[in-house]
Amino acid sequence: GRRVLGGAPFNVAWHLRAFGEVPLLVSRIGHDPDGAAVVEAMDDWDLELRGLQTDPQLPTGRVQVSIEDGEPSYEIVHPSAWDAIEPEGPKVGCALLYHGTLALRDDRARRAWRQLRRGQPETVFVDVNLRPPWWRRDTVLEAIAGAHWVKLNRNELDELAPGGEPAGRRARSFLARHGLSGLVMTDGADGAGILTAAGEHWEARPDAHIPVVDTVGAGDAFSAVWIAGLLGGWDTQTTLVRALDFAAAICGVRGATTDDRRIYDRTMAVWSSS
């Protein structure tokens, strides 16, 4: 066993900061050694701390990750401090709000999420994470309502849009039904596809020969680069290829994040030359 700091919003914020963005992570930790480790790591990485709350009773969140046949499974402790994220202050607008669906499993955190959404972010990007037993269909669909971009994998599409039609047709119907600007579909080693409300479609596959240590956090790495592309105004094909390439790079390290800045430096050097 090995302890690694992580969690989807944390992972995304970590990568974005390394790429020169200034994300604000809104989360909650416990008054415990794990919480102190989170604060220390964020401070060392120059991540904003003002969105981080401390709970006097609940512990810092923990997830037990097991790898079987190359695929991770997750045991997510409940309740954790992040289940009790509180709304703070007035509505605050932002250029982009990223969140997953797992963070909405508790009523207290959903209240904070609704407060953030009332700030009418210019872009809302929802990352679907269906982790049994911590999801309900109505909660997930509420999160998707009003979003601009949604990311999900093939299994999650099957759960939210079941039926006998081909996956591509169901994905297109899903995009239209929820009024999305775009849908990001990931499918592991088979790569990813992008659908937009304008009827555009892109696909790309990762290099088949990349070294894989584990796949934990690959989706979060993809999301971070996708967000960087949205903020930077990159064209869709460029963003898709860069997101897949960085997700592949994270598959080459143990855990979802790394403090090895050389990985980020190499990634940005490739971006600058292409």
Side-chain angles (χ1 to χ4, degrees):
R2 181 168 174 259
R3 293 163 64 87
V4 179
L5 290 176
F10 178 94
N11 300 338
V12 170
W14 184 273
H15 297 318
L16 284 170
R17 186 69 193 105
F19 291 137
E21 303 292 347
V22 188
L24 177 65
L25 174 66
V26 178
S27 192
R28 193 173 179 92
I29 56 174
H31 188 65
D32 52 31
D34 285 343
V38 171
V39 171
E40 182 179 7
M42 289 180 62
D43 192 43
D44 287 347
W45 204 245
D46 196 28
L47 274 166
E48 287 265 11
L49 292 170
R50 59 189 173 91
L52 198 62
Q53 305 169 12
T54 300
D55 195 287
Q57 295 178 317
L58 292 172
T60 300
R62 290 185 294 110
V63 179
Q64 180 69 39
V65 182
S66 302
I67 309 292
E68 296 183 10
D69 298 325
E71 292 297 323
S73 61
Y74 305 88
E75 181 184 342
I76 305 167
V77 175
H78 180 272
S80 295
W82 56 263
D83 288 305
I85 296 172
E86 294 181 352
E88 289 194 346
K91 295 183 294 184
V92 177
C94 61
L96 187 146
L97 173 64
Y98 162 87
H99 66 85
T101 52
L102 178 61
L104 308 181
R105 67 179 179 176
D106 191 285
D107 287 339
R108 293 166 292 181
R110 284 199 294 276
R111 287 195 293 271
W113 163 72
R114 292 187 181 106
Q115 174 81 342
L116 289 170
R117 287 285 289 264
R118 282 195 290 272
Q120 298 184 325
E122 295 173 23
T123 301
V124 175
F125 177 19
V126 176
D127 193 350
V128 174
N129 294 290
L130 305 186
R131 305 293 189 209
W134 305 121
W135 71 278
R136 298 201 321 259
R137 184 182 181 84
D138 60 334
T139 302
V140 173
L141 294 181
E142 180 190 2
I144 290 171
H148 301 90
W149 285 89
V150 167
K151 172 179 163 288
L152 43 68
N153 62 34
R154 175 65 181 272
N155 292 335
E156 290 160 346
L157 176 69
D158 292 343
E159 289 279 2
L160 298 177
E165 293 185 321
R169 186 173 298 174
R170 285 185 285 122
R172 177 66 66 187
S173 297
F174 184 89
L175 181 148
R177 181 164 62 253
H178 296 289
L180 305 174
S181 300
L183 182 66
V184 181
M185 288 283 302
T186 61
D187 199 8
D190 289 329
I194 311 297
L195 299 174
T196 72
E200 300 159 313
H201 178 209
W202 290 267
E203 291 184 350
R205 295 173 64 95
D207 187 333
H209 304 291
I210 59 170
V212 175
V213 175
D214 71 47
T215 60
V216 175
D220 304 331
F222 185 104
S223 294
V225 177
W226 192 259
I227 290 169
L230 290 174
L231 295 174
W234 305 346
D235 68 82
T236 303
Q237 184 64 32
T238 295
T239 307
L240 176 56
V241 171
R242 289 177 176 180
L244 280 174
D245 286 347
F246 183 63
I250 291 300
C251 287
V253 302
R254 179 69 66 190
T257 60
T258 177
D259 59 5
D260 184 353
R261 293 186 180 272
R262 291 174 298 178
I263 291 177
Y264 301 99
D265 291 342
R266 287 196 297 267
T267 298
M268 289 188 288
V270 171
W271 293 355
S272 297
S273 64
S274 59

